[in-house]
Amino acid sequence: MITLLFDTLSRKDQRNWARVYLRGLVSTAGKKTIRNMARGGEGSAEQSLQQFISKSPWAWAPVRRALAQYLERTSQPPLAWVVQSLIIEKAGDQSVGVGRQFVPELGRMANCQRAVGVWFAYSGASFPVEWILTLPAPWTTERVRRHSARIPDTARSQTPTQEAIDAVVRMSGTWQLEQRPVIMAVSNADLHHTMEAFSLYAIPFVLKVDGSLPVALATAGRHRALPYQASARELIESLRSQRRLADWRGQGASDGAGTPLAAAAVHAAPGEDRTAVELQPLLLFGAWTEPSNPLPSGFWITNLRDMPLSQLFTLAKLLDQTALDFAEVSEAVGIRDFEGRSYRGWHHHATLASVAHAATLFALRGQRVSDPAARTEHNGRMARSHQGVQNGAVHGPGHAVRAGRIDGAGRLDGTERGDVPSPPPPLPTPPVRQARTAGTYSKAR
């Protein structure tokens, strides 16, 4: 993988230290700090690794793009791009981007770094390919702080949602990738801006929304018994009699069991506030994911109106797949263990941790990744579950959707990518495995 992904590093010594750092991420027991990874090596190893990560000017974007392109060229193309947030709680105030702020994922104030990851998600495995570190205003407005962290002039202070939108649009436009549906959770306040941005660039999306979201039924004339305007929860509940079982099985479900789903064409804004994007109805679908709860508990809005509900639900549940893989793989290779203070160093570390994540899953190909014995043998430690599950237990997808290209109507046509001349040998097919319960990307340090 060094040869395939790091050919943009111009110097041999840089490629050598990339190899040393990657080996440390996948094999060092405990926290993956440079000091721990350098133990047992020659005396200058720690200093050289510090130089390579925090000061060496190698560009991380080409490495991430190369990783994404190789993942796309495997024999199992990704089903979707998944956006997930990353929270790294900190004790001090010197780490780049750290600040005391309200974190919706935690439901409280926290002193932390916040980042956004874009993942390639499959049925059974997922891989981070892009990371954006969000910067609170003091890190971009205070000249001394900005200079000390070596934050580039192009970096701005934006919300995690806006950073995610910009990353997806940039990847879609410049990374030479096949466009896939984007799966992400969006607050009510950010929903309209997110839909407008993705629609402007013809990006298909499945957005997880809160049940309190006000929606207007787009087909009231055909369903006069249904409320014209209501919350997403109320509207989906009113469709209880029209529920159908999704061809999807979560962990612990008995044979033949499925998840009840209901859907309706809606507008997610009042008529007077509706933009040109929302003149076309969207599809709101909801799921009864908790057997003990008689009310629907999951809600999504999508512009893929012609895709079968079972496939839409499989795409929606890829959010849980990435949460699982973060807990079992990214955490194990130290994605949150960087202790340096520079912007460049954080991005270098996140890039190498993404490659280590991919190498770990490929090395475990053919094994159950959730098998503790396999995890301990390969990583040197058990993967840890995470705190902070906001909406009860979540389960990863257990039913594969046939991989392929998304056509103009939002259907999977099963075609292969054919516009890449003479592709290099593909990396191994991502392993398919049964997902377990996973939490959010948050853990107190």
Side-chain angles (χ1 to χ4, degrees):
M1 295 187 74
I2 292 292
T3 302
L4 297 177
L5 304 181
F6 288 85
D7 62 349
T8 57
L9 272 62
S10 58
R11 302 204 313 262
K12 182 178 179 180
D13 65 304
Q14 290 178 325
R15 294 189 292 273
N16 175 65
W17 288 115
R19 181 179 293 107
V20 173
Y21 201 87
L22 282 169
R23 286 177 176 169
L25 291 176
V26 300
S27 63
T28 300
K31 197 171 184 179
K32 308 305 174 71
T33 63
I34 290 177
R35 176 167 297 180
N36 286 344
M37 291 189 289
R39 286 176 182 170
E42 56 191 54
S44 61
E46 181 177 349
Q47 182 178 353
S48 296
L49 284 176
Q50 288 281 10
Q51 172 71 25
F52 171 69
I53 292 296
S54 296
K55 297 181 180 180
S56 183
W58 58 274
W60 58 82
V63 178
R64 298 178 184 179
R65 184 168 59 246
L67 174 61
Q69 290 170 346
Y70 273 94
L71 289 172
E72 189 177 68
R73 295 176 195 177
T74 63
S75 58
Q76 183 187 359
L79 298 177
W81 299 357
V82 176
V83 174
Q84 285 278 17
S85 61
L86 167 62
I87 303 161
I88 310 171
E89 296 197 63
K90 293 285 186 177
D93 60 358
Q94 297 301 306
S95 298
V96 60
V98 73
R100 185 161 181 79
Q101 53 199 306
F102 180 77
V103 182
E105 294 88 344
L106 299 178
R108 59 177 173 83
M109 296 291 293
N111 190 65
C112 63
Q113 293 171 311
R114 298 194 68 184
V116 176
V118 181
W119 294 59
F120 276 10
Y122 305 76
S123 180
S126 57
F127 303 81
V129 296
E130 174 68 311
W131 293 101
I132 308 94
L133 181 66
T134 62
L135 298 170
W139 289 94
T140 58
T141 59
E142 296 179 8
R143 186 171 61 179
V144 173
R145 179 176 287 196
R146 185 165 194 151
H147 177 75
S148 65
R150 296 185 176 89
I151 297 173
D153 293 339
T154 54
R156 298 173 294 167
S157 293
Q158 297 192 119
T159 66
T161 298
Q162 185 59 59
E163 293 285 14
I165 292 171
D166 289 351
V168 168
V169 169
R170 180 175 62 253
M171 291 170 61
S172 178
T174 64
W175 279 29
Q176 297 179 323
L177 301 170
E178 199 69 48
Q179 183 60 64
R180 305 288 171 182
V182 176
I183 320 298
M184 65 183 291
V186 181
S187 69
N188 291 357
D190 291 328
L191 177 63
H192 303 299
H193 174 63
T194 303
M195 293 191 301
E196 186 173 15
F198 287 161
S199 297
L200 180 64
Y201 292 93
I203 296 172
F205 57 79
V206 179
L207 305 178
K208 184 176 177 63
V209 298
D210 190 82
S212 64
L213 177 73
V215 295
L217 190 65
T219 55
R222 296 171 53 194
H223 302 280
R224 297 186 183 277
L226 300 181
Y228 175 63
Q229 290 186 335
S231 69
R233 179 178 290 104
E234 291 168 338
L235 179 56
I236 293 299
E237 170 60 18
S238 72
L239 297 170
R240 171 183 288 272
S241 63
Q242 302 178 28
R243 293 183 301 176
R244 64 185 89 169
L245 290 180
D247 186 12
W248 176 89
R249 294 171 179 82
Q251 184 188 11
S254 59
D255 292 341
T259 300
L261 302 175
V266 302
H267 294 290
E272 60 271 18
D273 296 334
R274 211 166 287 156
T275 65
V277 168
E278 280 206 272
L279 292 178
Q280 293 296 321
L282 301 166
L283 186 71
L284 169 72
F285 66 98
W288 282 255
T289 58
E290 302 172 15
S292 61
N293 187 354
L295 299 177
S297 52
F299 309 91
W300 298 265
I301 277 186
T302 179
N303 57 356
L304 296 173
R305 292 184 56 195
D306 296 326
M307 182 176 284
L309 270 181
S310 59
Q311 292 187 11
L312 284 172
F313 188 60
T314 298
L315 291 179
K317 297 300 286 182
L318 291 174
L319 275 166
D320 298 338
Q321 181 66 61
T322 59
L324 173 73
D325 286 329
F326 178 88
E328 289 197 333
V329 185
S330 283
E331 173 70 19
V333 299
I335 183 63
R336 294 186 300 177
D337 290 350
F338 179 65
E339 294 185 338
R341 298 178 179 180
S342 74
Y343 182 88
R344 177 186 296 167
W346 189 93
H347 277 283
H348 284 169
H349 172 83
T351 301
L352 287 154
S354 296
V355 177
H357 176 111
T360 298
L361 281 183
F362 289 139
L364 291 168
R365 183 169 59 102
Q367 303 179 47
R368 283 179 58 89
V369 178
S370 57
D371 178 4
R375 172 72 59 222
T376 303
E377 178 182 355
H378 188 80
N379 288 334
R381 65 177 179 174
M382 296 282 289
R384 299 191 294 272
S385 298
H386 289 265
Q387 302 172 351
V389 178
Q390 301 297 313
N391 299 310
V394 293
H395 305 278
H399 178 75
V401 173
R402 178 169 55 89
R405 189 190 307 260
I406 304 294
D407 67 13
R411 293 181 290 268
L412 291 165
D413 66 7
T415 57
E416 296 291 337
R417 177 179 175 89
D419 58 349
V420 180
S422 303
L427 296 173
T429 302
V432 177
R433 56 196 172 94
Q434 180 66 37
R436 295 191 289 104
T437 299
T440 58
Y441 292 8
S442 174
K443 185 179 178 67
R445 283 291 182 193

